[in-house]
Structures are given as structure tokens and as C-alpha cells.
Amino acid sequence: MTEWKARRFWKAAAVEPAGEGWQVTLDGRPVRTPGKLPLILPTRALADAIAAEWDAQSEAIDPNAMPLTRAANSAIEKVAPQFQAVADMLGDYGGTDLLSYRATHPPALAARQAAGWDPLLDWADATMGARLAVTQGVIPIPQDAAALARLRTRLDALDPWELTALHDLVTLPGSLVLGLAVFDGRLSSDEAHALSRIDEDHQAEAWGRDDEAEAAAAARLEALRSSERLLALLRDRGADRTPNRHPDDPADRTDA
């Protein structure tokens, strides 16, 4: 994103129909990805949110303040052209899922992990037929191939935009189950973050909190929240209307 480090050159961002989707324009000029591909968004809600990110920029453009724009760029330039490779990478997290590895001591920590993580493993089993094994310690254990295949199948059903949103929800906590739980609405991003930090919180309570570690954790939480927001905007079709259809088209009327 270094090519974005420039001064603001536009007065206003707007949203316009673009084929079967929506595009953001800056003083009438369509925004493109860093690789110069058309930035076509699948929902009006997402386009509006990205336009707001551009409008919020001050004199110098700050890509870090534009998480939805960066996610859209990734969906178009990285995830869509290599969907299977990205899905394979995320699917691999099931084989080493955070929720499968429990502390050997102290008993209080192991109990907290069980209380927080067991219900999610039960949920994955009940909803996807994917029962993951649990062990104590960090030595990798083999997981049932059929369970991993069922988790992987879930990823094949997604589109590149959804897979982009799922990426951080899986990689940041280190758990495919936690990521899918947020994706399916079983957990919020805040809840998933808290569950992924049971070990860290236990250590902080025992030995005190480290400012650098806390700052890193806060950044991960913001990234998870951004991914959850991306999902919500992808699913928000309330403002959508087939872009090439006139607002008075009878096909759009619900009282017919």
C-alpha cells in the first residue's frame, strides 16, 4: 500500500452503480485497486462504507485508517485469483486448532480453557459433524480426516469476499473453529478475541500486564471487529437495488 501514501486530491467520494455491483468514485473518477483493477463492490452498504473511509481522509492518505478498502483490494487482487490456495491455508488451521491444545497446569487455567472452548468444539461437531480431538500440551496430534474435510468443505461454499472476511477471523486467533463461529453468528468478534486470549489473560493476571503485548492484542481485536463488520456489510442488501434497473421498475416493487 506504499503507493497510497499521497496527499488528498479529491473533494468528495460518492457511490455509483457499476454493472452488477457498485463503485466508489472520487470527484467522479472510479477508485481502482493498487494493481489498477476496477474496485467493484458486491453491496451498496459496503460501497457506502468504503466511500466514507475515503471521505474521512485528511491531507495525507492513511491506508491504516481504511481497513475495508484494504480488504476489498485483497478480495479482488489476492483472494479471487487464488481462492483454493487461500481456502487450503485457512483449512489447515483446523489441524492445529487453538481449541484443541490445553494447558497441563495450573488446573485453574485448564478449567478456564475447557469452560470456554469445549462448547465451541461441541458446536462444530453438532453443526458441521467436525469433532476435533483435544490434548494437553503443544505437541501436535492428528485430527480425524473426515472432520477436517467437513471443515474444509465449509470454505468451498464461500465466495472470495466472504473468504477475505474469514481470513483474519481464523488467522489472528489461530482457530478455524473460532473463525467459523463468528462467521455463522455463534460468537461476536469480541467474544472470539476473549476466548483466544484465555492463556494470555491468565498469565497477565498472575504476573501483570505488558503494555506492548496489550497494544498488540488491541490491534488484533480491531482487525477482528473490522472483519466482522465486513461480513455484515456483505450481507446487508437493504440498500441494494439491481444497479441497471430504474427505481420505478415493476420488478423492484413489493406491492405488486
Side-chain angles (χ1 to χ4, degrees):
M1 302 291 287
T2 55
E3 60 268 35
W4 283 21
K5 292 181 179 179
R7 292 180 178 277
R8 177 167 178 156
F9 57 86
W10 67 96
K11 293 182 179 179
V15 171
E16 298 178 357
E20 295 301 314
W22 306 87
Q23 66 183 1
V24 175
T25 61
L26 305 178
D27 296 340
R29 295 191 295 178
V31 173
R32 290 181 175 269
T33 70
K36 308 305 180 184
L37 297 177
L39 189 73
I40 306 301
L41 294 315
T43 68
R44 173 64 186 260
L46 178 57
D48 284 339
I50 288 177
E53 287 186 341
W54 284 87
D55 259 341
Q57 296 300 299
S58 56
E59 184 176 351
I61 302 174
D62 178 12
N64 292 324
M66 308 173 75
L68 295 173
T69 302
R70 289 187 286 114
N73 290 335
S74 293
I76 293 169
E77 291 195 342
K78 298 179 181 179
V79 178
Q82 49 185 351
F83 182 94
Q84 290 301 322
V86 176
D88 286 343
M89 181 271 292
L90 295 180
D92 286 344
Y93 276 80
T96 57
D97 201 283
L98 170 72
L99 307 191
S100 291
Y101 294 85
R102 309 298 173 83
T104 56
H105 65 279
L109 174 55
R112 286 174 68 172
Q113 291 173 334
W117 296 350
D118 285 354
L120 273 301
L121 294 180
D122 291 341
W123 168 81
D125 187 21
T127 60
M128 294 173 278
R131 167 58 68 180
L132 295 183
V134 173
T135 187
Q136 290 186 314
V138 296
I139 298 177
I141 58 170
Q143 295 288 353
D144 178 61
L148 295 179
R150 293 185 185 102
L151 290 173
R152 178 63 180 79
T153 297
R154 280 297 313 279
L155 306 184
D156 283 328
L158 308 185
D159 64 36
W161 292 92
E162 293 171 321
L163 197 66
T164 299
L166 184 63
H167 180 276
D168 281 359
L169 296 174
V170 172
T171 60
L172 292 180
S175 169
L176 180 57
V177 173
L178 283 180
L180 289 172
V182 176
F183 186 90
D184 285 356
R186 171 65 174 75
L187 294 175
S188 69
S189 56
D190 284 46
E191 291 169 329
H193 177 71
L195 287 169
S196 73
R197 282 184 48 82
I198 289 177
D199 291 27
E200 290 86 346
D201 286 342
H202 180 84
Q203 293 296 326
E205 291 163 9
W207 304 104
R209 297 190 178 274
D210 176 78
D211 290 343
E212 185 175 339
E214 291 297 303
R220 289 195 299 273
L221 176 57
E222 285 306 309
L224 292 175
R225 287 172 174 170
S226 179
S227 292
E228 185 179 31
R229 185 183 179 212
L230 174 58
L231 278 176
L233 293 168
L234 292 171
R235 293 164 175 170
D236 183 357
R237 299 283 176 174
D240 281 4
R241 183 185 298 276
T242 303
N244 57 5
R245 190 180 288 165
H246 189 278
D248 293 330
D249 192 316
D252 278 334
R253 293 171 55 187
T254 58
D255 56 350

